[in-house]
Amino acid sequence: MQVTTEGIVLSIQRRGDSSSVLHVYTRASGRVNYMVYGAGSKRHASGQFLPLSLVELTVDMHPNRDLGTVKESRLIYVPTRMDTDVRRQSVAMFIAEVLYRTLRHPMADELLFERLVEVVHEVDTADDIENVHLRFLVTFAGCLGFAIDAEQYPELLREPHTRKERQELLLSLCQYFHEHIDDWQQPKSLDVLHELFD
């Protein structure tokens, strides 16, 4: 059986010389993993599978295998600034890692998918890229069911104006996620953001 779906790339991990496992959050099925053969070839250009790439995937589903196989892929949204700006790439990597660590189940959520599409566009186009990941964490907490209470945590909702404030807010938001998500692990890309925006 062959299915076509839109998806947001969370990560891709090499499995062998020519195969990789693509982790993606799809409109149709939520979080799923697919096999990709020949990533970086003409059929699957390498830029299609960067963190937060918005793609359309045609997948062969095999009844006797755990993972479907991506037969065709194409970018739905072609970035104008993200592919040449290391700061935007780093923010995209951080957001994709947070999504990878929190969205674990194959459960479709149309509203969440549309919100994440907006995030992809924001990472690519926002003039204040240094604040995009902070806004994302605040709104994403609400999407996950533990919205930040303005009276209990006013410091988490203040807009930062200095590098020090941004750094402190990022660490506080990650701690807030740690308190609300079982086995939360601090994103590895956090250190990269500290270096870029410190």
Side-chain angles (χ1 to χ4, degrees):
M1 179 179 69
Q2 198 169 81
V3 298
T4 299
T5 185
E6 296 177 11
I8 297 170
V9 173
L10 307 183
S11 73
I12 186 167
Q13 299 171 341
R14 290 192 68 84
R15 177 70 67 86
D17 290 340
S18 62
S19 63
S20 303
V21 177
L22 179 68
H23 304 275
V24 59
Y25 187 76
T26 67
R27 182 187 296 275
S29 304
R31 164 72 180 269
V32 294
N33 305 325
Y34 297 130
M35 289 297 299
V36 178
Y37 294 93
S41 66
K42 288 184 179 180
R43 181 184 296 178
H44 306 300
S46 57
Q48 294 179 357
F49 299 136
L50 294 174
L52 284 196
S53 290
L54 184 56
V55 295
E56 181 183 79
L57 303 172
T58 301
V59 182
D60 280 344
M61 303 300 297
H62 312 287
N64 299 323
R65 299 182 190 174
D66 292 335
L67 301 180
T69 301
V70 177
K71 301 303 290 183
E72 295 181 10
S73 59
R74 70 175 183 88
L75 282 173
I76 297 175
Y77 174 72
V78 179
T80 58
R81 301 166 76 182
M82 198 178 348
D83 57 347
T84 58
D85 187 334
V86 67
R87 299 183 311 156
R88 295 178 192 279
Q89 293 167 1
S90 299
V91 169
M93 187 184 306
F94 172 80
I95 292 174
E97 187 179 357
V98 171
L99 295 175
Y100 175 86
R101 294 179 182 277
T102 54
L103 302 177
R104 304 170 184 172
H105 305 293
M107 184 181 304
D109 187 329
E110 183 78 17
L111 291 178
L112 176 57
F113 187 86
E114 286 298 330
R115 172 62 190 129
L116 295 180
V117 169
E118 292 174 4
V119 171
V120 172
H121 287 261
E122 188 175 10
V123 172
D124 186 43
T125 62
D127 291 329
D128 63 335
I129 187 60
E130 66 274 8
N131 290 328
V132 169
H133 55 295
L134 303 173
R135 289 196 295 269
F136 160 75
L137 288 174
V138 171
T139 57
F140 189 49
C143 293
L144 295 177
F146 48 88
I148 299 172
D149 186 296
E151 293 186 4
Q152 189 174 3
Y153 299 99
E155 71 280 3
L156 297 183
L157 299 176
R158 293 194 187 106
E159 183 178 350
H161 298 287
T162 67
R163 292 179 177 180
K164 183 179 180 182
E165 288 177 352
R166 291 187 189 97
Q167 190 175 51
E168 291 175 349
L169 178 56
L170 179 56
L171 290 174
S172 296
L173 286 169
C174 286
Q175 178 61 32
Y176 183 81
F177 272 69
H178 174 71
E179 293 171 359
H180 289 83
I181 296 178
D182 293 336
D183 65 13
W184 164 267
Q185 296 179 5
Q186 202 80 307
K188 295 179 181 178
S189 51
L190 192 63
D191 292 338
V192 177
L193 292 184
H194 283 326
E195 290 180 9
L196 284 174
F197 298 123
D198 190 16

mmCIF file of all heavy atoms in Angstrom, residues 93-99 101 137 170 174-175 177 184-194:
data_model
loop_
_atom_site.group_PDB
_atom_site.id
_atom_site.type_symbol
_atom_site.label_atom_id
_atom_site.label_comp_id
_atom_site.label_asym_id
_atom_site.label_seq_id
_atom_site.Cartn_x
_atom_site.Cartn_y
_atom_site.Cartn_z
ATOM 1 N N MET A 93 17.345 23.321 14.526
ATOM 2 C CA MET A 93 17.846 22.084 15.112
ATOM 3 C C MET A 93 17.339 21.912 16.545
ATOM 4 O O MET A 93 16.935 20.819 16.950
ATOM 5 C CB MET A 93 19.375 22.096 15.100
ATOM 6 C CG MET A 93 20.016 20.791 15.543
ATOM 7 S SD MET A 93 21.822 20.910 15.619
ATOM 8 C CE MET A 93 22.171 21.510 13.956
ATOM 9 N N PHE A 94 17.342 23.006 17.309
ATOM 10 C CA PHE A 94 16.862 22.951 18.691
ATOM 11 C C PHE A 94 15.380 22.601 18.742
ATOM 12 O O PHE A 94 14.956 21.713 19.484
ATOM 13 C CB PHE A 94 17.111 24.296 19.386
ATOM 14 C CG PHE A 94 16.483 24.400 20.752
ATOM 15 C CD1 PHE A 94 17.096 23.816 21.854
ATOM 16 C CD2 PHE A 94 15.283 25.058 20.926
ATOM 17 C CE1 PHE A 94 16.517 23.897 23.118
ATOM 18 C CE2 PHE A 94 14.692 25.154 22.188
ATOM 19 C CZ PHE A 94 15.319 24.567 23.276
ATOM 20 N N ILE A 95 14.566 23.302 17.953
ATOM 21 C CA ILE A 95 13.122 23.049 17.952
ATOM 22 C C ILE A 95 12.834 21.626 17.496
ATOM 23 O O ILE A 95 12.006 20.918 18.097
ATOM 24 C CB ILE A 95 12.394 24.077 17.064
ATOM 25 C CG1 ILE A 95 12.485 25.471 17.700
ATOM 26 C CG2 ILE A 95 10.935 23.677 16.842
ATOM 27 C CD1 ILE A 95 11.923 26.583 16.842
ATOM 28 N N ALA A 96 13.519 21.165 16.454
ATOM 29 C CA ALA A 96 13.315 19.797 15.972
ATOM 30 C C ALA A 96 13.684 18.779 17.043
ATOM 31 O O ALA A 96 13.009 17.752 17.199
ATOM 32 C CB ALA A 96 14.130 19.559 14.704
ATOM 33 N N GLU A 97 14.741 19.066 17.801
ATOM 34 C CA GLU A 97 15.141 18.143 18.867
ATOM 35 C C GLU A 97 14.106 18.104 19.983
ATOM 36 O O GLU A 97 13.792 17.037 20.520
ATOM 37 C CB GLU A 97 16.510 18.539 19.426
ATOM 38 C CG GLU A 97 17.050 17.527 20.415
ATOM 39 C CD GLU A 97 18.418 17.878 20.970
ATOM 40 O OE1 GLU A 97 19.005 18.902 20.546
ATOM 41 O OE2 GLU A 97 18.911 17.126 21.834
ATOM 42 N N VAL A 98 13.556 19.259 20.337
ATOM 43 C CA VAL A 98 12.489 19.290 21.350
ATOM 44 C C VAL A 98 11.284 18.481 20.870
ATOM 45 O O VAL A 98 10.698 17.691 21.623
ATOM 46 C CB VAL A 98 12.081 20.742 21.673
ATOM 47 C CG1 VAL A 98 10.824 20.764 22.548
ATOM 48 C CG2 VAL A 98 13.226 21.475 22.370
ATOM 49 N N LEU A 99 10.912 18.652 19.603
ATOM 50 C CA LEU A 99 9.785 17.893 19.054
ATOM 51 C C LEU A 99 10.103 16.402 19.046
ATOM 52 O O LEU A 99 9.240 15.571 19.382
ATOM 53 C CB LEU A 99 9.486 18.369 17.632
ATOM 54 C CG LEU A 99 9.006 19.818 17.491
ATOM 55 C CD1 LEU A 99 8.866 20.183 16.017
ATOM 56 C CD2 LEU A 99 7.692 20.033 18.215
ATOM 57 N N ARG A 101 11.954 14.752 21.054
ATOM 58 C CA ARG A 101 11.953 14.210 22.411
ATOM 59 C C ARG A 101 10.562 14.195 23.054
ATOM 60 O O ARG A 101 10.351 13.483 24.041
ATOM 61 C CB ARG A 101 12.910 15.015 23.299
ATOM 62 C CG ARG A 101 14.375 14.877 22.908
ATOM 63 C CD ARG A 101 15.265 15.722 23.816
ATOM 64 N NE ARG A 101 16.663 15.634 23.427
ATOM 65 C CZ ARG A 101 17.486 14.650 23.786
ATOM 66 N NH1 ARG A 101 17.033 13.673 24.549
ATOM 67 N NH2 ARG A 101 18.750 14.660 23.391
ATOM 68 N N LEU A 137 8.736 27.529 22.775
ATOM 69 C CA LEU A 137 8.611 26.733 24.000
ATOM 70 C C LEU A 137 7.375 27.143 24.806
ATOM 71 O O LEU A 137 6.675 26.288 25.354
ATOM 72 C CB LEU A 137 9.874 26.872 24.851
ATOM 73 C CG LEU A 137 11.130 26.169 24.314
ATOM 74 C CD1 LEU A 137 12.336 26.521 25.173
ATOM 75 C CD2 LEU A 137 10.935 24.657 24.258
ATOM 76 N N LEU A 170 15.739 30.763 28.591
ATOM 77 C CA LEU A 170 15.833 29.473 27.913
ATOM 78 C C LEU A 170 16.056 28.345 28.911
ATOM 79 O O LEU A 170 15.404 27.293 28.839
ATOM 80 C CB LEU A 170 16.964 29.511 26.879
ATOM 81 C CG LEU A 170 17.207 28.221 26.097
ATOM 82 C CD1 LEU A 170 15.946 27.761 25.383
ATOM 83 C CD2 LEU A 170 18.346 28.423 25.091
ATOM 84 N N CYS A 174 13.368 25.305 29.793
ATOM 85 C CA CYS A 174 13.759 23.891 29.722
ATOM 86 C C CYS A 174 13.511 23.199 31.061
ATOM 87 O O CYS A 174 13.086 22.035 31.106
ATOM 88 C CB CYS A 174 15.221 23.767 29.311
ATOM 89 S SG CYS A 174 15.524 24.108 27.565
ATOM 90 N N GLN A 175 13.758 23.909 32.158
ATOM 91 C CA GLN A 175 13.472 23.345 33.479
ATOM 92 C C GLN A 175 11.971 23.125 33.664
ATOM 93 O O GLN A 175 11.539 22.120 34.242
ATOM 94 C CB GLN A 175 14.002 24.285 34.571
ATOM 95 C CG GLN A 175 13.721 23.825 35.992
ATOM 96 C CD GLN A 175 14.341 22.488 36.319
ATOM 97 O OE1 GLN A 175 15.411 22.151 35.797
ATOM 98 N NE2 GLN A 175 13.682 21.712 37.175
ATOM 99 N N PHE A 177 9.832 22.395 31.291
ATOM 100 C CA PHE A 177 9.517 21.180 30.547
ATOM 101 C C PHE A 177 9.959 19.941 31.323
ATOM 102 O O PHE A 177 9.265 18.923 31.346
ATOM 103 C CB PHE A 177 10.181 21.208 29.159
ATOM 104 C CG PHE A 177 9.345 21.876 28.110
ATOM 105 C CD1 PHE A 177 9.102 23.236 28.142
ATOM 106 C CD2 PHE A 177 8.780 21.133 27.082
ATOM 107 C CE1 PHE A 177 8.326 23.850 27.167
ATOM 108 C CE2 PHE A 177 7.995 21.735 26.104
ATOM 109 C CZ PHE A 177 7.765 23.100 26.157
ATOM 110 N N TRP A 184 12.308 13.694 30.643
ATOM 111 C CA TRP A 184 12.788 14.783 29.790
ATOM 112 C C TRP A 184 14.307 14.838 29.843
ATOM 113 O O TRP A 184 14.910 14.752 30.912
ATOM 114 C CB TRP A 184 12.208 16.115 30.262
ATOM 115 C CG TRP A 184 12.896 17.328 29.717
ATOM 116 C CD1 TRP A 184 13.908 18.030 30.290
ATOM 117 C CD2 TRP A 184 12.607 17.988 28.471
ATOM 118 N NE1 TRP A 184 14.273 19.088 29.498
ATOM 119 C CE2 TRP A 184 13.504 19.090 28.371
ATOM 120 C CE3 TRP A 184 11.702 17.763 27.442
ATOM 121 C CZ2 TRP A 184 13.502 19.956 27.289
ATOM 122 C CZ3 TRP A 184 11.703 18.623 26.361
ATOM 123 C CH2 TRP A 184 12.579 19.702 26.285
ATOM 124 N N GLN A 185 14.924 14.980 28.690
ATOM 125 C CA GLN A 185 16.364 15.133 28.612
ATOM 126 C C GLN A 185 16.688 16.494 28.003
ATOM 127 O O GLN A 185 16.066 16.906 27.029
ATOM 128 C CB GLN A 185 16.981 14.028 27.758
ATOM 129 C CG GLN A 185 16.798 12.639 28.347
ATOM 130 C CD GLN A 185 17.398 11.567 27.463
ATOM 131 O OE1 GLN A 185 18.035 11.871 26.457
ATOM 132 N NE2 GLN A 185 17.203 10.323 27.823
ATOM 133 N N GLN A 186 17.663 17.163 28.588
ATOM 134 C CA GLN A 186 18.044 18.480 28.086
ATOM 135 C C GLN A 186 18.530 18.371 26.638
ATOM 136 O O GLN A 186 19.368 17.522 26.325
ATOM 137 C CB GLN A 186 19.170 19.041 28.958
ATOM 138 C CG GLN A 186 19.302 20.536 28.914
ATOM 139 C CD GLN A 186 18.305 21.250 29.795
ATOM 140 O OE1 GLN A 186 17.108 21.011 29.689
ATOM 141 N NE2 GLN A 186 18.776 22.110 30.671
ATOM 142 N N PRO A 187 17.985 19.165 25.728
ATOM 143 C CA PRO A 187 18.422 19.093 24.323
ATOM 144 C C PRO A 187 19.921 19.333 24.181
ATOM 145 O O PRO A 187 20.471 20.263 24.766
ATOM 146 C CB PRO A 187 17.609 20.214 23.652
ATOM 147 C CG PRO A 187 16.424 20.404 24.536
ATOM 148 C CD PRO A 187 16.924 20.155 25.928
ATOM 149 N N LYS A 188 20.576 18.509 23.394
ATOM 150 C CA LYS A 188 22.010 18.666 23.169
ATOM 151 C C LYS A 188 22.323 19.958 22.433
ATOM 152 O O LYS A 188 23.389 20.542 22.605
ATOM 153 C CB LYS A 188 22.540 17.466 22.372
ATOM 154 C CG LYS A 188 22.440 16.145 23.122
ATOM 155 C CD LYS A 188 22.945 14.999 22.273
ATOM 156 C CE LYS A 188 22.827 13.675 23.020
ATOM 157 N NZ LYS A 188 23.276 12.530 22.183
ATOM 158 N N SER A 189 21.372 20.404 21.611
ATOM 159 C CA SER A 189 21.591 21.631 20.824
ATOM 160 C C SER A 189 21.492 22.893 21.676
ATOM 161 O O SER A 189 21.731 23.999 21.174
ATOM 162 C CB SER A 189 20.582 21.695 19.674
ATOM 163 O OG SER A 189 19.263 21.503 20.144
ATOM 164 N N LEU A 190 21.169 22.743 22.949
ATOM 165 C CA LEU A 190 21.076 23.901 23.849
ATOM 166 C C LEU A 190 22.413 24.633 23.927
ATOM 167 O O LEU A 190 22.464 25.866 23.920
ATOM 168 C CB LEU A 190 20.646 23.430 25.234
ATOM 169 C CG LEU A 190 20.206 24.482 26.255
ATOM 170 C CD1 LEU A 190 18.964 25.202 25.767
ATOM 171 C CD2 LEU A 190 19.943 23.822 27.598
ATOM 172 N N ASP A 191 23.496 23.887 23.975
ATOM 173 C CA ASP A 191 24.826 24.496 24.075
ATOM 174 C C ASP A 191 25.146 25.356 22.855
ATOM 175 O O ASP A 191 25.791 26.399 22.966
ATOM 176 C CB ASP A 191 25.895 23.413 24.240
ATOM 177 C CG ASP A 191 25.797 22.691 25.577
ATOM 178 O OD1 ASP A 191 25.207 23.282 26.517
ATOM 179 O OD2 ASP A 191 26.282 21.556 25.688
ATOM 180 N N VAL A 192 24.671 24.907 21.684
ATOM 181 C CA VAL A 192 24.921 25.664 20.463
ATOM 182 C C VAL A 192 24.217 27.013 20.518
ATOM 183 O O VAL A 192 24.792 28.046 20.142
ATOM 184 C CB VAL A 192 24.444 24.866 19.224
ATOM 185 C CG1 VAL A 192 24.640 25.696 17.950
ATOM 186 C CG2 VAL A 192 25.185 23.536 19.129
ATOM 187 N N LEU A 193 22.985 27.021 21.027
ATOM 188 C CA LEU A 193 22.248 28.281 21.140
ATOM 189 C C LEU A 193 22.928 29.230 22.112
ATOM 190 O O LEU A 193 22.986 30.444 21.874
ATOM 191 C CB LEU A 193 20.810 28.009 21.595
ATOM 192 C CG LEU A 193 19.910 27.279 20.593
ATOM 193 C CD1 LEU A 193 18.502 27.178 21.160
ATOM 194 C CD2 LEU A 193 19.882 27.990 19.253
ATOM 195 N N HIS A 194 23.439 28.699 23.208
ATOM 196 C CA HIS A 194 24.145 29.545 24.173
ATOM 197 C C HIS A 194 25.351 30.223 23.525
ATOM 198 O O HIS A 194 25.627 31.401 23.765
ATOM 199 C CB HIS A 194 24.600 28.716 25.380
ATOM 200 C CG HIS A 194 23.499 28.404 26.333
ATOM 201 N ND1 HIS A 194 22.459 29.272 26.590
ATOM 202 C CD2 HIS A 194 23.265 27.314 27.102
ATOM 203 C CE1 HIS A 194 21.631 28.744 27.478
ATOM 204 N NE2 HIS A 194 22.102 27.548 27.803
#
